[in-house]
Amino acid sequence: MAAAATTNVVLIAVDSSRQAEAAFNWYLEHIHRPGNTIVVVHCVDLDAIDESDDPEESAEEASVRGWDRHRNRIKAVDDKYRWKLNENGLPGKIRTESGKPGDVIVQTACQEKAGLIVVGSRGQGKLRRAIMGSVSDYVLHNSKCPVVICRQKD
C-alpha cells in the first residue's frame, strides 16, 4: 500500500525588513521541499499605527490617518511576498494580521497547523532585547512547533 502524501505547513513571519527577506530566502535555499505549503504571515501592530502627536485629534481620526499612511507599506510587503511565492512556483498564501507580532505568529501557526515557523532576527543586543523584548525570542518560547531563527550575516 502506498503512503499518503503529506503536506507540511511552514509559517514564515515577514515584515519590511531585510532580515525577514533573508529568512524567507534562507528557508527556500535550505529547507523547502516539494509538498510543503507556505503561509507567509505579515503582522501589523495597529497600536504603533494609531499613535498621534495631536492632542486634539480623536483616536478614530488618528487611526484613520495612521492607517492611510501605512496602507501602501503594508500592501508593498504583501505584494512582495505574493510575487516571491508565484515566481518560485510555491504553494501558499499571505495572511496579514493585526496585533502584537509574537502573539500573532504563534496564534497563526496554531490556526494553520504549522509544523515549522521561520523568523528573522534583528540581532539586538542583550540589554535592548531584555528591555524591549524580541519577537523571535517570544515565538521560540511560546510556539508549540519547532522554530528556526535566521540571523542575517553582516
Side-chain angles (χ1 to χ4, degrees), residues 2 17 22 44 50 56 68 81-82 84 90 101 108 114 139 142 150:
S17 71
V44 179
D50 290 348
E56 295 188 18
D68 287 343
Y81 287 98
R82 187 171 288 108
K84 283 180 163 289
L90 301 169
T108 304
V139 172
N142 290 280
C150 299

Side-chain angles (χ1 to χ4, degrees), residues 13-26:
V14 301
D15 58 17
S16 61
S17 71
R18 69 183 198 286
Q19 292 88 355
E21 185 169 12
F24 184 95
N25 293 337
W26 189 89

Side-chain angles (χ1 to χ4, degrees), residues 7-11 35-39 109 112-117 145:
T7 300
N8 299 312
V9 177
V10 177
L11 185 136
N36 287 4
T37 298
I38 300 171
V39 176
E112 295 288 344
K113 298 178 177 50
L116 178 69
I117 298 173
C145 67

